[in-house]
Amino acid sequence: MKVLVIGGDGYCGWATALYLSNRGYEVGILDSLVRRHWDNELGVETLTPIAPIQQRLQRWQDLTGKSIDLFIGDITNYSFLHKALHQFQPDAIVHFGEQRSAPFSMIDREHAVLTQVNNVVGTLNLLYIMREDFPDCHLVKLGTMGEYGTPNIDIEEGYITIEHNGRKDTLPYPKQPGSMYHLSKVHDSHNIHFACRIWGLRATDLNQGIVYGVLTEETGMDELLINRLDYDGVFGTALNRFCIQAAVGHPLTVYGKGGQTRGFLDIRDTVRCIELAIANPAQPGEFRVFNQFTELFSVGDLAMMVKKAGNAMGLNIDINNIENPRIEKEEHYFNAKNTKLLDLGLEPHYLSDSLLDSLLNFAVKYQKRVDNNQILPTVSWHR
Ligand code: NAD
Ligand code: USQ
């Protein structure tokens, strides 16, 4: 089976491409490398030294004998995308290739427009090519749990059955995203749903929670295969950031009261979830939605867990509840369903002391690469 991984030079995409290649899928990576460019523009670097994509792929081939095709270009460029897809002829497309940072999208108007154009137009181009030339191809699209926001009722997987004035229907679950980035994912979901309903395409929208960890079986095989691990205030995400902050003796940056609760998952489960979605494709015309996370945590509780694990290793760790740069609920109800991937066979790697130890040790190993000036948040949601 041929799988094209769009965004395969990024954090989730790189781990997924190698995992699928290792399991016998014929894999292609398509990436514009724009994420490396945004890092340069912001003056930030991943904690880990990542090799150029060509070197990464050469090393993978040398180690395993497996080759991965590479297409460098931007999916908002229709003619490039058209050519790449016709060359590769995918059976499934895994689409990670978007601007994925909420703070980046909230810097100013330009960054909001860039985010929404990059994400919405890229996905739209993909849908049109699939409609014209690859109608049986299965689109596996990375969405986000943040599409739902934090409603005061249970969050279902994509759809909710509603009774209204004596009539009943199952409808898309209401969306209340908290950033211009999360909004771009809502727009994508609507466009993909339309393409399935009206054109009969098949798609799975994976509403993923926050990913943590860095090692997978494949990316751990060799230093040249190392994955990115972001810690800066724009692209770094909660748990990964806390572990790196702990390693360099920076107080953990809990925003506001810290009661913000989100879905989380280990990167080893991200790659498995993608495989489960590919191996069990949506039906023609079906727009399937899975909530892709394994556990719920508040950011305050995560900080406490990192402090405890770090203390046990002899690290001295403070937690700072700093002023929240975002506009979001800091204490709220949050109960989201996540049974669909479990029903397909996902066996979660739950957050454990050993994972925290390994992530903390990993961060200690690369601590010299940390620029302390990049840790505090600089982007504000406030006017
Ligand atoms: P990332 O920034 O590490 O990787 C994204 C990759 O996509 C980059 O290599 C980038 O160069 C590429 N890309 C972006 N726009 C492109 C375009 N127009 N054409 C071609 N390539 C393009 O991000 P990530 O953390 O790996 O996230 C991957 C996907 O998963 C994103 O869609 C994100 O929204 C989603 N997601 C991530 C997380 C997380 O915690 N990291 C959580 C939930 C959902
Ligand atoms: N937070 C802190 N301290 C920090 C960083 C974040 O308290 O140092 C808080 C934020 O205020 C927020 C929560 O932690 O309440 C999550 O923030 P985050 O930066 O870890 O994650 P988020 O902005 O939601 O975005 C990340 C990925 C995005 C993905 C999303 C999944 O960057 O691509 O879509 O997680 S979810 O959160 O489920 O929508």
Side-chain angles (χ1 to χ4, degrees):
M1 189 176 185
K2 298 186 87 168
V3 183
L4 185 67
V5 180
I6 300 179
D9 187 46
Y11 174 55
C12 301
W14 176 238
T16 300
L18 295 192
Y19 178 81
L20 295 176
S21 173
N22 212 13
R23 296 181 77 86
Y25 291 87
E26 255 183 86
V27 178
I29 284 179
L30 188 157
D31 202 299
S32 62
L33 311 183
V34 67
R35 178 56 213 285
R36 293 176 186 248
H37 170 69
W38 291 328
D39 282 358
N40 285 339
E41 270 188 355
L42 293 166
V44 302
E45 276 186 299
T46 128
L47 173 78
T48 44
I50 53 171
I53 183 72
Q54 296 85 349
Q55 275 184 30
R56 288 174 139 186
L57 293 179
Q58 187 59 53
R59 189 74 190 124
W60 178 246
Q61 186 165 359
D62 294 346
L63 275 175
T64 64
K66 295 170 195 295
S67 71
I68 293 180
D69 291 343
L70 177 64
F71 303 89
I72 295 181
D74 188 328
I75 61 168
T76 64
N77 175 341
Y78 189 81
S79 58
F80 158 75
L81 184 62
H82 191 269
K83 210 168 133 201
L85 257 62
H86 276 268
Q87 209 175 315
F88 187 71
Q89 299 282 329
D91 300 304
I93 297 173
V94 186
H95 179 16
F96 291 105
E98 299 203 327
Q99 192 302 98
R100 70 118 177 109
S101 154
F104 185 95
S105 76
M106 298 295 286
I107 292 175
D108 56 15
R109 185 192 65 83
E110 278 81 1
H111 288 81
V113 171
L114 182 163
T115 299
Q116 294 209 355
V117 170
N118 185 65
N119 296 0
V120 177
V121 174
T123 299
L124 257 183
N125 278 344
L126 204 50
L127 293 172
Y128 267 91
I129 293 185
M130 289 175 67
R131 178 199 182 195
E132 294 307 318
D133 300 327
F134 302 93
D136 286 331
C137 184
H138 177 208
L139 174 63
V140 176
K141 166 69 170 52
L142 271 290
T144 178
M145 283 301 293
E147 292 186 35
Y148 302 115
T150 51
N152 199 29
I153 56 170
D154 292 348
I155 294 173
E156 305 297 322
E157 298 197 63
Y159 299 90
I160 184 168
T161 301
I162 296 177
E163 273 192 59
H164 181 63
N165 294 345
R167 302 185 65 81
K168 194 170 165 184
D169 203 351
T170 298
L171 299 164
Y173 195 96
K175 307 288 174 73
Q176 303 180 80
S179 75
M180 287 292 173
Y181 152 70
H182 288 95
L183 263 164
S184 74
K185 295 284 191 187
V186 175
H187 304 326
D188 280 342
S189 294
H190 286 146
N191 289 343
I192 302 168
H193 192 182
F194 178 89
C196 293
R197 278 190 293 121
I198 308 298
W199 303 336
L201 297 186
R202 52 170 99 210
T204 304
D205 205 0
L206 296 173
N207 283 340
Q208 186 170 236
I210 301 168
V211 184
Y212 60 80
V214 63
L215 284 174
T216 54
E217 189 188 326
E218 295 76 20
T219 61
M221 279 184 195
D222 188 278
E223 187 92 17
L224 272 181
L225 301 180
I226 205 166
N227 204 349
R228 66 161 50 246
L229 190 61
D230 302 311
Y231 69 87
D232 63 278
V234 174
F235 277 101
T237 50
L239 180 54
N240 287 344
R241 257 164 77 69
F242 293 161
C243 287
I244 295 160
Q245 292 165 354
V248 298
H250 191 288
L252 309 190
T253 55
V254 172
Y255 298 166
K257 293 185 184 139
Q260 301 93 309
T261 301
R262 300 289 184 268
F264 286 81
L265 75 163
D266 188 307
I267 190 158
R268 292 172 295 177
D269 290 336
T270 292
V271 300
R272 175 73 178 133
C273 289
I274 302 293
E275 189 191 12
L276 286 170
I278 296 171
N280 303 277
Q283 297 303 308
E286 186 186 8
F287 176 66
R288 199 170 58 164
V289 184
F290 297 162
N291 291 346
Q292 182 169 315
F293 68 91
T294 60
E295 290 174 281
L296 302 175
F297 295 107
S298 74
V299 289
D301 286 347
L302 282 179
M304 285 304 296
M305 290 164 75
V306 171
K307 181 178 164 71
K308 199 169 136 246
N311 286 160
M313 288 171 53
L315 296 168
N316 208 349
I317 298 166
D318 290 327
I319 298 177
N320 263 10
N321 287 77
I322 62 177
E323 193 185 334
N324 195 340
R326 306 189 185 194
I327 297 177
E328 60 186 358
K329 288 183 190 142
E330 294 175 4
E331 286 171 321
H332 58 90
Y333 180 77
F334 196 77
N335 186 34
K337 305 275 171 69
N338 65 341
T339 54
K340 290 192 179 173
L341 283 157
L342 296 171
D343 290 346
L344 287 179
L346 176 67
E347 290 171 11
H349 295 85
Y350 293 114
L351 183 58
S352 62
D353 288 347
S354 64
L355 186 281
L356 284 175
D357 280 1
S358 114
L359 197 49
L360 283 163
N361 278 316
F362 200 86
V364 169
K365 178 171 175 197
Y366 291 101
Q367 61 174 312
K368 286 213 168 59
R369 289 177 47 88
V370 173
D371 178 352
N372 274 45
N373 295 320
Q374 296 292 353
I375 291 180
L376 287 175
T378 49
V379 182
S380 172
W381 271 230
H382 299 267
R383 293 180 65 195

